[in-house]
Amino acid sequence: MAGRTIIAPSILASDFARLGEEVAAIEAAGADWVHVDVMDGHFVPNITIGPDVVKALRPHAKIPFDVHLMISPADPYLEAFRAAGADYISVHPEAGPHLNRTLKQIRKLGAKAGVVFNPSTDPSVIQWMMDEVDLILVMSINPGFGGQTFMHSQLRKIEALRKMIDAEGRDIPLEVDGGVTPETAPLCIAAGATALVAGTAVFRGGAERYAANIAALRG
Ligand code: DX5
Ligand code: ZN
């Protein structure tokens, strides 16, 4: 689908001691969404931030907050993230127990419901409920850490999901997360991605580089 690629900087790569300023800086630099990586040290081998931090950051930017939950279970925390200001809430099917119930709950809370695909997760997991998905996020790394190398094997999956979205006929954003750089971004876009998450590639070089770093991902 044509249109400007959505750029969602992952604040995982920002200066955690200055998170509010970092969020304001990426908005000023042209970011479309703020990508928030939530990790529990159980579903993934790292611990990051919770709903109170999202709540504290929310006044620092007007653009949507794209909250990527790498926690299991996710259901008990959906309401808190929504109340904190999450606009998109995405979950991994493996977080369990019932993906469809989780998506319905996210929508009921008034947020957009996203599904995240680990490198090993098959597109068929959403095949029978495309009408209940508002965002598709393809991991091009194993979740847990920033700064990893892009897995080219995931390009075919992006293509497959592009076909499923086109068949559905709704403009569901198709987002890619992990190892996205000015070199790999065009590959994702050519495969059908419409949104790109980038941590390292946006936050490197300091705030004066953010606008150029974001522009470089748009190609
Ligand atoms: C990893 C996170 C990513 C990560 C991307 O689990 O989901 O959003 O921050 O970092 P980079 O862009 O550095 O690969
Ligand atoms: Zn992420």
Side-chain angles (χ1 to χ4, degrees):
M1 272 174 209
R4 196 174 86 138
T5 304
I6 292 163
I7 305 295
S10 163
I11 58 171
L12 187 61
S14 73
D15 180 352
F16 271 25
R18 299 170 42 256
L19 269 179
E21 289 165 53
E22 293 279 61
V23 165
I26 53 168
E27 179 175 55
D32 300 288
W33 297 347
V34 177
H35 186 81
V36 183
D37 288 307
V38 177
M39 307 186 189
D40 65 355
H42 161 73
F43 185 71
V44 290
N46 194 5
I47 301 176
T48 56
I49 66 180
D52 287 347
V53 177
V54 173
K55 188 177 176 188
L57 291 176
R58 187 61 270 198
H60 291 264
K62 291 190 178 63
I63 53 177
F65 272 41
D66 170 31
V67 175
H68 175 190
L69 297 182
M70 286 160 274
I71 62 175
S72 176
D75 293 357
Y77 304 99
L78 301 174
E79 194 170 353
F81 280 104
R82 176 58 180 158
D87 298 281
Y88 289 85
I89 299 177
S90 299
V91 295
H92 288 249
E94 296 84 359
H98 304 138
L99 177 61
N100 188 268
R101 176 176 289 144
T102 303
L103 297 180
K104 281 189 166 76
Q105 180 63 15
I106 294 169
R107 279 188 167 179
K108 200 172 158 198
L109 291 166
K112 305 251 192 214
V115 178
V116 194
F117 290 82
N118 275 336
S120 63
T121 310
D122 192 82
S124 63
V125 73
I126 54 168
Q127 187 176 0
W128 308 112
M129 50 186 210
M130 285 292 286
D131 58 333
E132 295 180 271
V133 176
D134 299 312
L135 169 71
I136 292 172
L137 177 49
V138 176
M139 297 303 298
S140 38
I141 54 167
N142 279 301
F145 301 95
Q148 301 183 70
T149 303
F150 184 86
M151 294 172 64
H152 287 75
S153 57
Q154 300 307 300
L155 290 168
R156 296 274 305 280
K157 191 194 290 181
I158 297 166
E159 288 171 5
L161 285 160
R162 172 81 269 151
K163 288 200 182 92
M164 286 171 67
I165 293 169
D166 289 347
E168 171 69 11
R170 277 190 308 126
D171 191 8
I172 302 169
L174 179 52
E175 189 174 33
V176 183
D177 185 3
V180 174
T181 65
E183 292 71 43
T184 57
L187 306 175
C188 298
I189 294 166
T194 56
L196 300 173
V197 176
T200 309
V202 167
F203 286 97
R204 65 182 156 210
E208 62 280 3
R209 292 287 310 159
Y210 295 171
N213 289 346
I214 289 169
L217 294 171
R218 287 208 172 90

